[in-house]
């Protein structure tokens, strides 16, 4: 029978300095285990990495065009190759999905919605594309660029990894990979679109939108 208990609030953590990928991954592993055991609250961690590439479980080695450019990390998240670096807001989202509908597809949809609503606050229209996870911006003439990537992993209903939103990264750094395995489209950022927003600006909006999108329930707690 379900218990009527009050869930602790989702904890928000913001790192002001660049976080090494190995350190972030180790933290997530430990935090996910603690959340699963009921020993720590859910958490959203906002950070930046130094320049690096990560390979998801579907990565094709041919899409790594310059393996000497930046460090490359194999990761258990879904997806293909992606870039992380300064000026990009990475949000690692560690939630117990039993409290968020127990639906991984709906969870990914909500992460997409989080980015759509966040960039909408800055006057940018982000869109989903069938068969292409992430958020896209139409540039006219049939051209469209990716502004936000998603790669998630779920272990015993607890999520980790998350999303990466391009605020003001060096877009040339994406040139060492075929981002997410898609050659026919490019990448963009808020800065590239003429939006002068800081990471703090984006964080404030993202947190507000998160609270509107990610409702929680205890109704399915055994």
């Amino acid at each position: 029978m379900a218990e009527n208990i009050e869930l602790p609030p989702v904890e928000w953590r913001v790192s002001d300095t660049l976080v090494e990928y190995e350190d972030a991954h180790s933290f997530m592993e430990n935090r996910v285990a603690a959340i699963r055991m009921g020993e720590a609250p859910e958490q959203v961690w906002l950070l930046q990495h130094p320049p690096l590439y990560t390979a998801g479980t579907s990565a094709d080695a041919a899409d790594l065009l310059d393996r000497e450019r930046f460090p490359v990390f194999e990761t258990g998240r879904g997806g293909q190759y992606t870039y992380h670096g300064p000026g990009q807001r990475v949000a690692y989202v560690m939630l117990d999905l039993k409290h968020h509908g127990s639906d991984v597809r709906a969870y990914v949809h909500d992460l997409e919605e989080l980015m759509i609503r966040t960039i909408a606050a800055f006057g940018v229209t982000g869109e989903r594309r069938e068969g292409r996870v992430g958020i896209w911006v139409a540039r006219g003439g049939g051209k469209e660029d990716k502004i936000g990537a998603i790669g998630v992993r779920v272990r015993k209903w607890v999520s980790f990894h998350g999303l990466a939103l391009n605020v003001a990264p060096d877009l040339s750094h994406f040139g060492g990979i075929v981002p997410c395995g898609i050659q026919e489209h490019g990448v963009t950022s808020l800065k590239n679109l003429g939006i002068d927003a800081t990471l703090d600006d984006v964080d404030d909006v993202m947190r507000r939108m998160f609270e509107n999108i990610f409702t929680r329930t205890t109704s399915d707690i055994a």
Side-chain angles (χ1 to χ4, degrees), residues 115-177:
M115 287 196 286
I116 288 172
R117 294 190 192 183
T118 297
I119 65 176
F122 299 96
V124 176
T125 300
E127 300 174 334
R128 297 177 178 87
R129 289 292 181 265
E130 186 68 29
R132 288 191 259 139
V133 176
I135 298 305
W136 300 81
V137 176
R139 306 301 298 272
K143 177 178 171 57
E144 55 188 25
D145 293 334
K146 192 170 191 175
I147 195 169
I150 292 175
V152 303
R153 187 176 183 182
V154 176
R155 180 181 296 153
K156 296 184 179 179
W157 288 112
V158 180
S159 68
F160 53 126
H161 299 284
L163 62 84
L165 180 63
N166 296 333
V167 179
D170 184 339
L171 294 180
S172 72
H173 288 179
F174 285 87
I177 58 172

Side-chain angles (χ1 to χ4, degrees), residues 8-204:
V10 175
E11 180 180 280
W12 285 75
R13 175 185 181 187
V14 182
S15 293
D16 295 325
T17 57
L18 300 181
V19 179
E20 296 293 335
Y21 186 79
E22 302 100 317
D23 295 339
H25 191 271
S26 177
F27 176 87
M28 281 193 289
E29 288 280 353
N30 293 330
R31 186 62 177 236
V32 164
I35 292 170
R36 193 172 67 246
M37 297 296 292
E39 297 172 353
E42 299 168 300
Q43 185 183 86
V44 179
W45 185 10
L46 304 178
L47 55 89
Q48 301 173 83
H49 286 304
L52 59 92
Y53 299 128
T54 62
T57 55
S58 301
D60 183 340
D63 290 337
L64 181 57
L65 306 179
D66 185 354
R67 63 181 60 252
E68 303 300 324
R69 189 169 189 178
F70 299 126
V72 181
F73 296 93
E74 303 290 332
T75 175
R77 65 160 175 80
Q80 302 184 49
Y81 282 103
T82 194
Y83 164 77
H84 294 313
Q88 182 188 68
R89 175 49 84 213
V90 173
Y92 288 137
V93 185
M94 292 160 276
L95 301 180
D96 188 338
L97 298 186
K98 294 192 304 294
H99 306 322
H100 300 273
S102 300
D103 186 330
V104 176
R105 183 169 295 185
Y107 168 63
V108 172
H109 185 277
D110 286 345
L111 289 178
E112 291 175 334
E113 187 66 21
L114 178 59
M115 287 196 286
I116 288 172
R117 294 190 192 183
T118 297
I119 65 176
F122 299 96
V124 176
T125 300
E127 300 174 334
R128 297 177 178 87
R129 289 292 181 265
E130 186 68 29
R132 288 191 259 139
V133 176
I135 298 305
W136 300 81
V137 176
R139 306 301 298 272
K143 177 178 171 57
E144 55 188 25
D145 293 334
K146 192 170 191 175
I147 195 169
I150 292 175
V152 303
R153 187 176 183 182
V154 176
R155 180 181 296 153
K156 296 184 179 179
W157 288 112
V158 180
S159 68
F160 53 126
H161 299 284
L163 62 84
L165 180 63
N166 296 333
V167 179
D170 184 339
L171 294 180
S172 72
H173 288 179
F174 285 87
I177 58 172
V178 178
C180 301
I182 299 171
Q183 294 182 324
E184 61 270 29
H185 300 294
V187 291
T188 190
S189 65
L190 291 178
K191 181 178 180 180
N192 182 249
L193 294 169
I195 308 299
D196 186 20
T198 67
L199 289 174
D200 287 342
D201 294 335
V202 171
D203 292 348
D204 288 343

